[in-house]
Amino acid sequence: MPGWLRGHRRPPLLLLLAAAWLAGAPPAGALVAGLRVRVRLPDGQIGEETLEADTDTDSISIEFKKSDGSLITFIADLRKDVKIIRSLILGEMERGQTQFQGLCFITRLHKNEIIPSDSMAKLRQKNPRAVRVAEEQRGLEHLYMDVAVNYSRASQLSIHVHNVCAEATDGIYARESDVKHWMNSGVDASIFEAIHVSEDVPRCRTSREWWKGCICRYSLCVEWYPCFLKYCRTKDATGKTSTYKCGIKSCQKCSQFDFYVPQKQLCLWDEDT
């Protein structure tokens, strides 16, 4: 066990729980607003994203389907500096998989990654049928997820983990560098367990051993999201200059997650073609 987790034991994970995503009515006084945005996909097709903001929990969610049918949920918890990406992947039942497989990747949310929740809640579309293309491509982010997160205790990391990751209780991953940041912020180390992988463990893409462990890769892109507020300048009658919010800048962000799975059967999408 690494020094940053020494002296802590990780309680056993709960059994898989079925829970509605962010179920329940918002608290009194909360401003919850959403948009449906049509976006241009890399293959030229048109997809749809649902964006919602909750000012009470200071969070933003984005939900969309990948071309393979997987359902992606992105949560930005601005209060806790936590970002959650949950994927529900359709299983290949003819190859022995279950109906779907859930994965949750939890990383640190950095400043200026996304606009504030109160600004997101006020966004409106002049033309809802317009197809959006991001103004800025933020490039590919490659992340090695070397820590397992205990679902049953992860609510202190973010209140959203319980609902969002309910279908992925045995597949919740984080990074050591982010874990150290959260622990320095007061999060209990017992939530986390380092994943030790020997250097000779192959990538699932090249492995031919279906029931042995390997390093899996999962890739996704959020094609459109509001990443910056735009400010314009104006002058009053005396010539004094002031600024005001006058729009947003949109971004695209792609991520590749590498993580250990105990058998290749849990990573059928990552195969040589």
Side-chain angles (χ1 to χ4, degrees):
M1 178 177 293
W4 52 276
L5 284 177
R6 190 171 294 118
H8 300 275
R9 292 184 56 125
R10 178 171 175 255
L13 291 173
L14 295 179
L15 296 176
L16 182 66
L17 301 176
W21 174 61
L22 297 179
L31 176 59
V32 180
L35 293 174
R36 288 185 180 272
V37 178
R38 303 175 79 216
V39 299
R40 180 72 63 186
L41 303 177
D43 61 4
Q45 298 297 311
I46 297 174
E48 186 176 87
E49 295 178 356
T50 300
L51 298 89
E52 292 187 346
D54 186 338
T55 59
D56 188 75
T57 62
D58 196 12
S59 64
I60 294 171
S61 69
I62 304 172
E63 193 163 77
F64 60 94
K65 282 186 177 181
K66 291 180 64 177
S67 57
D68 64 1
S70 300
L71 179 65
I72 307 297
T73 302
F74 168 100
I75 300 288
D77 184 339
L78 290 93
R79 185 170 296 168
K80 290 295 189 74
D81 296 334
V82 168
K83 179 169 56 180
I84 306 169
I85 295 179
R86 191 276 312 274
S87 178
L88 293 180
I89 305 162
L90 295 176
E92 298 184 40
M93 302 184 71
E94 70 278 5
R95 300 176 69 177
Q97 287 193 320
T98 56
Q99 186 175 4
F100 65 86
Q101 179 181 345
L103 296 171
C104 256
F105 303 107
I106 304 178
T107 57
R108 180 181 176 184
L109 179 69
H110 293 277
K111 302 298 181 184
N112 300 321
E113 277 197 64
I114 198 165
I115 66 173
S117 61
D118 57 344
S119 297
M120 177 66 208
K122 297 172 185 176
L123 285 185
R124 299 294 182 269
Q125 293 189 89
K126 292 182 180 179
N127 181 7
R129 298 299 301 168
V131 179
R132 312 290 176 181
V133 177
E135 299 169 71
E136 178 183 324
Q137 282 71 43
R138 288 195 160 180
L140 178 63
E141 181 180 42
H142 187 195
L143 304 169
Y144 184 69
M145 313 302 285
D146 53 359
V147 176
V149 179
N150 187 326
Y151 169 78
S152 66
R153 306 190 65 186
S155 58
Q156 65 169 284
L157 181 60
S158 170
I159 61 172
H160 303 284
V161 175
H162 180 76
N163 284 329
V164 178
C165 299
E167 292 89 1
T169 54
D170 291 323
I172 308 176
Y173 300 92
R175 297 190 302 166
E176 180 180 337
S177 58
D178 294 334
V179 167
K180 289 180 177 179
H181 167 76
W182 294 323
M183 287 170 56
N184 289 335
S185 302
V187 175
D188 196 316
S190 63
I191 295 174
F192 310 106
E193 181 177 328
I195 301 173
H196 300 286
V197 181
S198 62
E199 294 183 359
D200 61 348
V201 172
R203 291 196 170 274
C204 296
R205 178 176 292 271
T206 58
S207 174
R208 295 294 178 262
E209 301 288 342
W210 291 100
W211 305 106
K212 289 187 178 181
C214 54
I215 303 299
C216 184
R217 174 168 291 180
Y218 189 76
S219 303
L220 60 85
C221 293
V222 181
E223 295 296 339
W224 190 96
Y225 67 98
C227 51
F228 283 116
L229 293 174
K230 290 181 179 178
Y231 290 86
C232 297
R233 293 187 178 186
T234 186
K235 288 184 179 181
D236 61 19
T238 65
K240 183 179 179 180
T241 300
S242 60
T243 60
Y244 63 96
K245 298 175 185 177
C246 57
I248 62 160
K249 182 177 182 178
S250 59
C251 290
Q252 178 220 51
K253 183 68 177 179
C254 295
S255 302
Q256 283 185 342
F257 300 96
D258 286 352
F259 55 100
Y260 176 80
V261 291
Q263 51 188 251
K264 182 177 178 175
Q265 185 75 358
L266 298 173
C267 186
L268 292 182
W269 61 84
D270 188 18
E271 295 184 289
D272 279 329
T273 55

